[in-house]
Amino acid sequence: MHRRQKPSSPEHKRDLEAHGGALSMSHNDTRSFFNFSQLVLSAGNLKTPPLLKHSKITYFEVEILDVQSKKQICIVDKVPPSSTLLDVKHKFHKACPQWYPSRVGLQLECNGPYLKDSINIQSLAVSSIITLYFTDLGQQVGWTTFFLTEYTGPLVIYLLFYIRLSTIYDQVESKKNFRHPVVHLACFCHCLHYIRHLLETLFVHKFSEGHTPLKNMIKGCIFYWGFTSWIAYYINHPRYTPPSFGHRQVSLAALAFLMCEAGNHFINVALAHQNHSGLKACFPSPTYNPFTWLFLLVSCPNYTYEVGSWISFTVMTQTLPVGIFAFLMVIQMSLWAQKKHKLYLKRFYPEVRRKAAMIPIIF
């Protein structure tokens, strides 16, 4: 038999109400926590502001001293590790406007070599303070300006003598005397030589960084312009006497001159397109061009061809001023070749060790 359920007592009702209220409160708390979590997630990740992060970049201070008095000139501060010496020179120029970057020479030691502009400042650092010694290099000019000025003068000066200005030669004597063909040929060869130099300066040569003192350009101009005036005066003089062996001497010498000019050009092109593939540069090797085969015998064939041009020009014109100029060029070119040959021995020893500098056996 089934028992009839008794109506709930008042205490039992209160227990049920209390239990139901607790369930409703816990449910509301869960919904509130869920809504707060969604709000936090929608706001994005909470990050520390960038300004509060500690910087790990180390800056250097470059102390610049005078090389003579050892007194401090200025301090270039906050130099980043990635800066080059040229960047330091620009900051030094801002502090001392009278010394622009190309005029500033910086050394690690008083008697040490000048540091290159491309060197990284971090490679010089032993501590956070770097001490460099300053030398005023004087007024500077770029290498392109240097060579263009040096080679334009001889070209113009020779043409002024070739047209026989009335202020240089006697006009009556100039009209009376007939010009030998070698005079016209000499003008052509001389102009060709310096036009080649000018075009190679603009389109072939790759000059090293930096500048050269203005006084060097002045000395070079005095040398080249002065000798050109002396040479051109004698060759274009109305009383100029042609070579002793006549047409044969002139023709052979002119042919040798043109060959040396062509060889000089092709060697300069080869040096400008020197192979720099890989980690180590390679010394230029001879190609199918016969003018580059001189690389097999000498390390500086451009100087060999340059000397050959002036010796050929001396034989062609048979004049004393050209002979003296050619002799001085042989001395100068041999000195430059020896200096460059030593550098080649350090960089390309296996390839250059059995070669002469400029002329086989002699140099």
Side-chain angles (χ1 to χ4, degrees):
M1 291 181 65
H2 296 282
R3 294 180 181 180
R4 294 180 63 183
Q5 296 180 354
K6 294 182 178 181
S8 301
S9 61
E11 291 80 8
H12 182 66
K13 288 183 178 179
R14 286 195 296 268
D15 291 339
L16 289 176
E17 289 176 359
H19 182 68
L23 289 174
S24 63
M25 286 178 64
S26 63
H27 181 69
N28 291 336
D29 292 339
T30 303
R31 290 187 61 185
S32 300
F33 177 76
F34 177 77
N35 292 336
F36 178 74
S37 301
Q38 292 295 324
L39 179 63
V40 171
L41 291 175
S42 64
N45 296 328
L46 297 177
K47 293 184 177 181
T48 306
L51 295 177
L52 298 179
K53 287 187 175 181
H54 179 68
S55 177
K56 296 182 179 180
I57 300 176
T58 302
Y59 292 96
F60 295 103
E61 287 187 356
V62 180
E63 181 187 27
I64 299 179
L65 308 179
D66 184 76
V67 72
Q68 299 293 337
S69 62
K70 309 298 185 298
K71 293 182 179 179
Q72 185 186 96
I73 299 176
C74 75
I75 293 180
V76 181
D77 57 354
K78 294 184 179 180
V79 179
S82 59
S83 298
T84 61
L85 199 69
L86 183 60
D87 299 327
V88 174
K89 288 184 178 181
H90 281 292
K91 291 186 177 182
F92 178 63
H93 173 58
K94 290 182 179 179
C96 305
Q98 68 271 29
W99 292 310
Y100 51 89
S102 62
R103 187 168 183 162
V104 176
L106 297 177
Q107 306 159 273
L108 271 177
E109 300 175 355
C110 294
N111 298 323
Y114 293 115
L115 301 173
K116 293 183 178 180
D117 290 345
S118 59
I119 193 170
N120 190 278
I121 200 68
Q122 192 172 15
S123 63
L124 305 175
V126 179
S127 64
S128 60
I129 300 177
I130 303 171
T131 302
L132 298 177
Y133 295 92
F134 161 76
T135 301
D136 183 9
L137 300 177
Q139 193 170 356
Q140 305 286 301
V141 293
W143 283 110
T144 303
T145 304
F146 176 88
F147 287 113
L148 290 178
T149 305
E150 194 174 68
Y151 296 142
T152 302
L155 181 64
V156 175
I157 291 172
Y158 196 97
L159 291 175
L160 292 177
F161 281 92
Y162 176 73
I163 62 177
R164 290 183 175 177
L165 295 175
S166 58
T167 54
I168 301 175
Y169 302 113
D170 181 69
Q171 290 299 303
V172 177
E173 195 173 14
S174 298
K175 294 178 181 178
K176 186 187 299 183
N177 293 334
F178 172 75
R179 290 197 189 191
H180 194 276
V182 71
V183 175
H184 304 291
L185 183 61
C187 180
F188 169 78
C189 291
H190 192 276
C191 292
L192 176 66
H193 178 79
Y194 284 102
I195 289 174
R196 178 184 64 79
H197 273 305
L198 291 171
L199 293 177
E200 288 177 352
T201 300
L202 293 173
F203 304 110
V204 176
H205 291 303
K206 297 178 181 179
F207 299 108
S208 59
E209 64 179 16
H211 300 72
T212 185
L214 178 62
K215 61 181 180 181
N216 289 347
M217 188 180 75
I218 295 175
K219 289 190 293 185
C221 289
I222 291 174
F223 178 77
Y224 280 98
W225 295 15
F227 263 103
T228 299
S229 302
W230 191 24
I231 291 169
Y233 176 80
Y234 273 88
I235 296 176
N236 295 287
H237 198 280
R239 295 183 182 181
Y240 168 73
T241 55
S244 303
F245 296 96
H247 179 71
R248 180 178 297 181
Q249 178 180 343
V250 173
S251 300
L252 293 176
L255 180 61
F257 178 87
L258 295 176
M259 290 180 64
C260 289
E261 287 295 303
N264 203 337
H265 171 71
F266 288 120
I267 293 297
N268 287 331
V269 171
L271 291 173
H273 295 85
Q274 195 171 343
N275 184 19
H276 292 280
S277 59
L279 298 177
K280 185 178 180 181
C282 298
F283 186 77
S285 57
T287 63
Y288 62 88
N289 188 341
F291 290 103
T292 63
W293 294 351
L294 199 57
F295 273 121
L296 296 172
L297 301 176
V298 296
S299 59
C300 303
N302 52 328
Y303 295 146
T304 308
Y305 281 123
E306 183 77 12
V307 168
S309 294
W310 286 111
I311 293 176
S312 302
F313 194 77
T314 303
V315 176
M316 182 177 64
T317 58
Q318 196 174 308
T319 54
L320 180 63
V322 182
I324 296 174
F325 182 74
F327 176 73
L328 295 177
M329 290 297 288
V330 169
I331 296 175
Q332 182 63 74
M333 294 293 167
S334 64
L335 294 175
W336 287 344
Q338 288 288 342
K339 183 178 180 180
K340 188 171 288 188
H341 185 70
K342 291 179 181 178
L343 295 176
Y344 285 156
L345 285 174
K346 293 179 180 179
R347 297 182 61 191
F348 317 107
Y349 176 72
E351 303 170 80
V352 184
R353 63 188 179 92
R354 292 188 177 182
K355 298 177 182 179
M358 188 178 75
I359 299 176
I361 302 175
I362 300 176
F363 297 106

